[in-house]
Amino acid sequence: MRFRLSDRQVGVLFMLPLLVSVALFLVWPIVEAIRLSFVRYNPLRPDDQPFVWFDNYLFVLEDPLFWESFRQALVWTGISTLAQAVIGVGLALLLHQPLRGINAFRGLLLFPYIVPTVVIALNWRWLFNAEIGIVNHLLLSAGIISERVAWLSTPDMAMASAILLNVWKYTPFVVIVVLARLQTIPTELYDAAKVDGAGAIRRFRDITLPQLAEVLAVVVVFRTIWTFNKFEEIYLLTRGGPGTSTYNLALYAFDQAMANLRMGVGAASGVIMLVLLLAGSLLYIRLTGFGREDRAA
């Protein structure tokens, strides 16, 4: 007898590697983090893991550094995401124009997104170096500033530099998604609006933005989640300094778990971040009405 599989069994077979990968690299780490958040665990004494209930969460919530890092995370995430959305939509509109050679610019746009973060961060440290950085040199030569700016050593400038790095690297993601949606908007809508005498701003407000609403909702949610969890950019660029001016929750969780060897506290910080992101994403989707039309249909 020949061995045969039904279509359903074949589908499950093809999905099995994905399901195993998700369970191994996503579900299990989350479950393990939740477990660790309820125990006192020092990696130097792996056999000693007493159950401490909510002590780790109380430690985190009573730590002033946690609330300072939370405030910095909000600034870092909010400004970065807003700037990426605004600049990304603007660049997508420019790249959507039927100009000669526009495909070359679309290809070059991917360059920041494909360069490794460590390479960008190390180059950023050189570009914004107070003494030998090319940014200060160009600004001084143009007469925009009269003295060298300590970009990575001044609290406000350090945060601005970190945000600028994040915006430069990840705006191409927004551009790609928005540009793909722009290319699916029927041109008849714009033609009809022109016949009715609508100008460019009116067409953008009444046609383009409504058509981009659902895509932008998804982009903002994803970029908020990814930026809020970002660790490597700030760690490589400023180490959270000067002081705590660029210290976000990802660095706080890392320092508690690795530097202070409080794995339970670090896990509790990660669980709190997970809850905050989940609640914020659900609230944003509810406020923007994403998917409401599909449910109504």
Side-chain angles (χ1 to χ4, degrees):
M1 295 179 61
R2 297 180 60 184
F3 181 70
R4 290 186 177 183
L5 295 175
S6 65
D7 292 343
R8 184 183 182 86
Q9 291 172 327
V10 171
V12 172
L13 187 62
F14 276 109
M15 291 180 60
L16 189 60
L18 174 62
L19 296 176
V20 172
S21 299
V22 170
L24 186 63
F25 297 108
L26 181 62
V27 177
W28 180 79
I30 292 176
V31 173
E32 181 65 9
I34 295 174
R35 185 193 70 83
L36 284 176
S37 68
F38 290 101
V39 302
R40 182 180 295 113
Y41 174 46
N42 187 323
L44 299 179
R45 297 190 297 272
D47 296 331
D48 183 21
Q49 299 185 31
F51 190 78
V52 295
W53 294 95
F54 294 97
D55 287 358
N56 291 326
Y57 291 96
L58 292 176
F59 178 91
V60 170
L61 296 177
E62 292 174 356
D63 188 359
L65 183 58
F66 169 80
W67 294 106
E68 177 67 17
S69 62
F70 177 65
R71 186 181 72 84
Q72 299 297 344
L74 290 180
V75 173
W76 153 260
T77 304
I79 298 179
S80 297
T81 304
L82 178 62
Q84 289 171 35
V86 173
I87 298 174
V89 171
L91 289 176
L93 290 172
L94 290 176
L95 294 175
H96 186 54
Q97 302 302 315
L99 302 176
R100 179 179 298 178
I102 198 67
N103 288 331
F105 287 98
R106 292 173 181 172
L108 290 174
L109 184 71
L110 294 174
F111 177 75
Y113 196 58
I114 63 178
V115 176
T117 302
V118 63
V119 175
I120 297 176
L122 293 177
N123 279 279
W124 222 256
R125 290 175 64 88
W126 173 75
L127 291 172
F128 285 90
N129 186 281
E131 300 299 327
I132 63 173
I134 192 172
V135 173
N136 273 341
H137 174 73
L138 293 176
L139 293 177
L140 286 170
S141 300
I144 298 176
I145 59 176
S146 57
E147 57 182 13
R148 299 182 185 275
V149 177
W151 296 98
L152 302 179
S153 303
T154 306
D156 292 339
M157 292 294 100
M159 177 59 79
S161 302
I163 290 174
L164 187 61
L165 185 154
N166 187 268
V167 172
W168 182 80
K169 178 171 175 57
Y170 293 104
T171 296
F173 170 79
V174 181
V175 176
I176 293 170
V177 176
V178 174
L179 183 59
R181 181 66 182 95
L182 286 173
Q183 293 176 340
T184 64
I185 299 177
T187 57
E188 293 81 2
L189 297 177
Y190 294 101
D191 295 336
K194 290 179 182 179
V195 172
D196 292 338
I201 297 178
R202 182 76 178 274
R203 294 196 301 271
F204 174 75
R205 186 189 65 187
D206 295 340
I207 300 176
T208 305
L209 274 183
Q211 294 290 329
L212 294 177
E214 290 195 355
V215 168
L216 286 176
V218 175
V219 167
V220 169
V221 168
F222 274 94
R223 287 306 311 148
T224 299
I225 293 172
W226 293 339
T227 306
F228 194 80
N229 288 326
K230 271 297 173 182
F231 163 79
E232 66 275 15
E233 294 172 7
I234 292 181
Y235 184 79
L236 292 169
L237 192 64
T238 65
R239 299 295 196 276
T244 58
S245 59
T246 58
Y247 200 80
N248 65 355
L249 288 180
L251 266 71
Y252 177 85
F254 173 81
D255 283 345
Q256 291 296 335
M258 300 302 174
N260 300 329
L261 298 181
R262 299 192 186 110
M263 298 295 293
V265 175
S269 305
V271 173
I272 292 174
M273 291 173 62
L274 175 64
V275 172
L276 290 173
L277 286 172
L278 180 60
S281 299
L282 293 176
L283 178 62
Y284 177 80
I285 291 174
R286 183 177 180 84
L287 292 177
T288 56
F290 173 67
R292 190 174 299 164
E293 294 81 1
D294 294 338
R295 292 193 298 270

